[in-house]
Every structure is written in structure tokens, then in C-alpha cells.
Amino acid sequence: MSDLTSIEKAKLEKLLEMESGYVLDFSNRTFQEFILESVKLDIYDEKYNYQSGSKANRLRAFWKEEANNIVGVLIENLLEYCNTKNLINNQIVNLKYQELFNECQKISKRLKEGIINNPEKEAINKYQFSVLQSELLSEFDKFAVLTNSEDKKKRGFLLENLLQHIFSLYEISTRKSFKRNEGGEQIDGAFKLESWYYLVECKWTQSLTDIRQLDSLYGKISRSGKQTLGLFLSINGWSKNICPLLKQNNDKSIILMDGYDLRCVLVEDNNVNLKDLLLKKLECLNFEGEPFYSAVQFLENKQKL
């Protein structure tokens, strides 16, 4: 039995022109032959004899009786039939039809891939996300007391590890710290977002970051491929001259993140997605030349919408 939702059924019924009991332009015979050819099942079997027994009602019964993957294959074939019919008839489809067609393709893909449409499971996943988010927030606040620690190496390692867990929570593909160029170059971490690769430099120091530390990241980016950018994370921020100096640089390839930004994505009530925040930072860099777009600005703009 498939788990098509009422909304998914409504979309399919609209596209397949089922309102009056028919299914597209099929006759009883061609409808039977099409389904038999598609999924090796006889739509005129008694188990599909639902209500009036019309083609539309038999298809509704088929959706109810058969498993997701079988229903998904049949829908895929029906969509292909729609496309073929439009091509043969030189039918020009409008935007509304195309949007509906695309939605039905997504439904077919979901069913074929066995993705269960289970609201209860989705709620569980949201709960699990919330629990992990809360745990990472607690860990972040716990690490904050290490600011005065003399063990800088330990503090740096903890930050890199925490950052990886936060990125994993938001399903951003990451790579742990590594060395390259025959061990002569240390990379604190890396991640991939929207086909771009980012090298990450992490700092958790008492003093504000100066431009020399950013120059180091620029060098690493310049020795990488063309689709490489940099994320400079400084928990305690940076000196006031950093942003103006970065704006003067012709090669604008670094976005900045501070501790508030990082903590903000861990506070559930903020409802700030890390991916959205990073993409907004990148947009600000590309359009306005600004290396730092803060979570404060992000939240303020969300409230205005």
C-alpha cells in the first residue's frame, strides 16, 4: 500500500485529468494495456474495482493497494505518456502546467526511491535535531571558559572538533584538519557548499585577530583551485581595521564569522540555518564587497520579512 498524501493525490489527479472519471485520453482497452506493460498488473482485476469502477477510480484503488515503488514506476510512465502526447499534438504547455508536472515528477521519484512520507518520523527527526542542537550549544558555552586557558593547542583542537559537529548537524560536507604541500601547510578544516570549496581558519584567542592571520589564509586560498574560498572564524572577533583592509583587497575570497554567529545557529528560538547564514555572507561579499555579514543582521532582516 502506497503512502501518497491527499495533496500528492490532488496534484496527480489534476495532471492526469481524472475529475470526470477518465484518465487522460485512455480507453478501457488502452488503459489496461498501458498498465500491464508498465508494471505487469491488470488494472481490471477485481481488487481495483473501487466505487463506480471507472478508470479514475481504478487508478485510485491501485494507489491504495500497491507498494510505493510500483506506484512510483506507473506514475513515471504516465508522466512520460503525457510528454509524448504533448509532443505528438504540438501542444505548448504553459508555466502552470510545467510546475504541476515537475511536482508530480518529485512524487514519482519519492515513491520509487522508497522515501517514506511519514509525518511522525519527520517529527522525531526534528526532535533529534533539537536535542543535538541543544547539546552542541551546551558544549559551546562550556568551551567558552577555556578562553583564559594557557593550553592554546587544546583550545584550538576543541574548536575545530566542535565546528565539524555543528556543520555535520546542518548536513554540510566537511573535512577535518589536514596538512598538504609535503606537510608544510596546516589547514584547520574545509567544507563544501553549493559547488564551492572553503578552507577554514579557526581562532579562539583573547586578543582580537589582526590582518597577518588573514594573510596566511589568503596564501592558502591562492595555492588552491579556482573554486576555493575561505572562512575565517574568530570567536572573539577582530580589530576594527580588519574589514576596511579586506575591502581594499582585489581578491575578495574570505568571509568572516565570529562566536556570536556560531552560537546563533545553535539557539533553537533563533531559527537560523547555518547554510542560509553562510550563503547570505557570500552574497554580501559578492554584491557589496563586505567580508562580514553578521547573524545580527540576518535576524533583523528575517523580522522585516
Side-chain angles (χ1 to χ4, degrees):
M1 149 174 208
S2 77
D3 65 351
L4 280 169
T5 66
S6 297
I7 292 174
E8 288 175 328
K9 289 175 185 174
K11 291 175 181 177
L12 290 167
E13 291 192 13
K14 180 66 175 176
L15 188 78
L16 299 176
E17 303 168 13
M18 294 168 59
E19 293 92 340
S20 57
Y22 293 91
V23 177
L24 298 172
D25 60 353
F26 287 112
S27 66
N28 288 349
R29 178 183 61 81
T30 58
F31 189 50
Q32 183 181 35
E33 290 174 350
F34 183 88
I35 294 179
L36 192 61
E37 182 182 300
S38 294
V39 291
K40 311 300 184 209
L41 291 170
D42 184 1
I43 195 65
Y44 285 95
D45 188 295
E46 187 58 30
K47 68 178 179 178
Y48 306 126
N49 188 14
Y50 172 62
Q51 290 186 353
S52 67
S54 67
K55 288 184 284 293
N57 277 331
R58 284 185 177 274
L59 185 55
R60 292 181 183 110
F62 185 93
W63 291 344
K64 183 179 179 181
E65 293 291 331
E66 301 303 333
N68 274 0
N69 60 327
I70 295 173
V71 175
V73 169
L74 179 57
I75 292 171
E76 181 182 50
N77 290 338
L78 285 168
L79 294 178
E80 186 178 351
Y81 180 84
C82 288
N83 257 343
T84 303
K85 188 163 69 82
N86 289 334
L87 285 171
I88 291 172
N89 296 331
N90 293 319
Q91 182 74 38
I92 299 174
V93 300
N94 58 34
L95 181 60
K96 205 169 182 180
Y97 177 92
Q98 190 60 54
E99 287 176 351
L100 179 61
F101 185 89
N102 293 342
E103 286 295 311
C104 291
Q105 278 189 317
K106 291 178 185 177
I107 296 168
S108 171
K109 185 173 185 291
R110 177 184 77 78
L111 294 171
K112 283 177 60 187
E113 292 179 355
I115 300 171
I116 299 172
N117 198 343
N118 188 336
E120 186 177 340
K121 183 178 178 181
E122 186 178 345
I124 293 171
N125 288 339
K126 286 182 179 178
Y127 172 75
Q128 291 172 336
F129 181 93
S130 178
V131 169
L132 289 170
Q133 191 181 34
S134 178
E135 288 176 354
L136 288 171
L137 177 61
S138 176
E139 194 174 345
F140 179 93
D141 290 340
K142 182 176 67 177
F143 288 166
V145 302
L146 295 173
T147 301
N148 297 319
S149 171
E150 295 180 0
D151 190 354
K152 294 181 180 179
K153 188 175 181 180
K154 178 184 176 183
R155 191 169 60 218
F157 172 77
L158 290 173
L159 176 57
E160 290 171 21
N161 196 44
L162 175 62
L163 192 65
Q164 185 186 14
H165 287 148
I166 294 172
F167 273 59
S168 295
L169 178 67
Y170 286 93
E171 298 181 342
I172 299 175
S173 178
T174 60
R175 182 174 176 181
K176 288 184 177 181
S177 61
F178 61 97
K179 291 185 178 181
R180 65 180 190 181
N181 294 329
E182 299 181 350
E185 194 170 51
Q186 173 71 35
I187 308 295
D188 289 346
F191 66 93
K192 182 182 179 183
L193 181 64
E194 301 263 320
S195 299
W196 281 85
Y197 297 86
Y198 292 76
L199 300 183
V200 179
E201 188 89 11
C202 299
K203 298 294 177 187
W204 195 329
T205 56
Q206 282 183 286
S207 58
L208 295 175
T209 303
D210 61 38
I211 196 66
R212 288 173 297 175
Q213 293 164 318
L214 284 155
D215 286 341
S216 171
L217 181 55
Y218 267 123
K220 293 172 184 177
I221 296 168
S222 68
R223 290 186 288 274
S224 304
K226 290 185 178 180
Q227 275 188 268
T228 307
L229 296 169
L231 171 67
F232 193 91
L233 169 64
S234 177
I235 296 298
N236 291 320
W238 38 83
S239 57
K240 63 181 180 181
N241 63 328
I242 291 295
C243 287
L245 286 171
L246 287 178
K247 289 172 72 173
Q248 292 174 23
N249 198 322
N250 291 329
D251 182 18
K252 293 178 173 58
S253 56
I254 293 177
I255 55 176
L256 300 174
M257 175 178 275
D258 62 16
Y260 181 80
D261 289 344
L262 194 59
R263 192 179 189 280
C264 196
V265 302
L266 298 176
V267 177
E268 186 176 4
D269 291 344
N270 287 338
N271 196 26
V272 175
N273 186 293
L274 177 59
K275 287 182 181 178
D276 294 340
L277 179 59
L278 289 170
L279 289 173
K280 191 65 183 177
K281 285 177 177 287
L282 183 60
E283 178 186 309
C284 191
L285 178 69
N286 286 326
F287 289 141
E288 301 173 29
E290 290 286 348
F292 182 54
Y293 180 91
S294 72
V296 175
Q297 293 169 279
F298 189 87
L299 287 167
E300 287 175 350
N301 286 331
K302 274 188 68 175
Q303 291 173 355
K304 292 176 183 177
L305 296 177

